[in-house]
Amino acid sequence: MAQNPDSLEGKVALITGAAHRLGAQIARCLHAQGLDLVLHYRQSAAAARALQAELTVFRPPSVLLVQADLHDCEQFPAVLERVSAFRGRLDVLVNNASSFYPTPLDQVTETQWDDLIGSNLKGPFFLTQQAAPLLRAAAGCVINLVDIHAERPLKDHAVYSIAKAGNAMMVKALARELGPDVRVNGIAPGAILWPEQGLSDDAKREVLSRTALLRAGSPADIARTLLFLVRDAPYITGQIIAVDGGRTLQQ
């Protein structure tokens, strides 16, 4: 019987920052669709191993773990060598890993600049560069996790907002550079997961009051959008979908 042309079975995805939060939900979603996964982590080894164990209960051995510091581009060739050795292909690259924290203008340091630009822009760019031959061979795709604050800066988060604005332009620029073989798209989450630094209940209510749907989204909303871009959007490239409950409709 011929395979369904929309089937993702037998394909391979590399997800950065996959051990927690959005990355872990994306991993669960893609794995359920039949993809084998390479899950990148930096320091969260225990969480990465737990996620690997959770997923391989259903389909062993289908998940490879890769540790790397995405600030160090010299590590990327070794990462891609392991990806290639895993299944001999790469169909999907999800640039999810990110640093996020406030940098008030009168306090921001060069170290913070390098960290936020490195994780949100430099690392994804050079990892995609290194992955391009594998992605071209598979006619694959790249999905960047951008942010609604790439267009509307978040107060006291100037460096993060600048980095995500660069990430958004990376989606468009690399769609041109890697076409016609590889599609590049992005997802800009809104109020999906609250920052790990925490927000007051009043601050959360204020954020949600400025969405058209008056509620927070969930990691599953991001994962389903990503699945659409991977599986169901062969003629979409260079686009960024805001998954924000209508937050960007308001000032």
Side-chain angles (χ1 to χ4, degrees):
M1 181 180 294
Q3 185 180 27
N4 180 347
D6 295 327
S7 173
L8 298 178
E9 291 185 9
K11 295 188 176 183
V12 176
L14 167 59
I15 305 168
T16 67
H20 294 293
R21 292 168 67 86
L22 291 182
Q25 184 62 38
I26 290 167
R28 293 183 180 102
C29 178
L30 293 184
H31 191 265
Q33 294 297 317
L35 283 95
D36 289 346
L37 303 180
V38 181
L39 304 182
H40 157 268
Y41 67 96
R42 182 183 180 188
Q43 296 176 319
S44 303
R49 286 194 294 267
L51 181 58
Q52 181 188 41
E54 171 191 332
L55 297 176
T56 53
V57 165
F58 300 99
R59 198 172 71 251
S62 55
V63 180
L64 174 70
L65 300 184
V66 174
Q67 190 280 332
D69 182 351
L70 298 187
H71 292 83
D72 182 2
C73 298
E74 292 184 358
Q75 296 185 26
F76 294 170
V79 170
L80 272 300
E81 284 177 11
R82 293 198 63 197
V83 172
S84 182
F86 179 51
R87 292 289 186 267
R89 62 186 297 157
L90 178 62
D91 301 88
V92 182
L93 170 60
V94 181
N95 286 312
N96 168 71
S98 172
S99 297
F100 173 84
Y101 48 82
T103 52
L105 186 60
D106 60 350
Q107 301 173 27
V108 62
T109 66
E110 185 177 357
T111 297
Q112 292 173 324
W113 171 276
D114 290 342
D115 177 52
L116 288 164
I117 296 293
S119 65
N120 289 289
L121 182 56
K122 177 184 173 183
F125 179 86
F126 284 104
L127 182 61
T128 305
Q129 178 202 52
Q130 294 284 324
L134 283 171
L135 290 165
R136 283 194 175 105
C141 66
V142 179
I143 310 292
N144 279 13
L145 271 294
V146 191
D147 195 297
I148 61 170
H149 296 296
E151 293 188 0
R152 298 185 179 188
L154 180 62
K155 177 68 174 174
D156 290 330
H157 292 73
V159 180
Y160 173 81
S161 299
I162 290 166
K164 284 301 191 184
N167 187 293
M169 179 52 69
M170 172 184 157
V171 168
K172 299 175 184 180
L174 292 191
R176 294 201 68 182
E177 297 292 331
L178 294 176
D181 302 308
V182 177
R183 295 182 299 112
V184 183
N185 290 295
I187 299 170
I192 302 295
L193 291 172
W194 301 114
E196 291 180 332
Q197 294 90 342
L199 289 177
S200 68
D201 289 341
D202 286 344
K204 292 177 182 178
R205 281 191 289 269
E206 167 63 19
V207 169
L208 296 181
S209 73
R210 299 174 72 182
T211 69
L213 298 183
L214 297 179
R215 60 179 176 83
S218 73
D221 293 313
I222 302 300
R224 284 191 292 262
T225 303
L226 187 141
L227 179 60
F228 162 74
L229 288 171
V230 169
R231 185 186 62 190
D232 303 320
Y235 201 58
I236 296 178
T237 194
Q239 304 303 308
I240 299 169
I241 299 178
V243 183
D244 67 350
R247 171 68 182 85
T248 46
L249 300 174
Q250 301 188 41
Q251 295 296 325

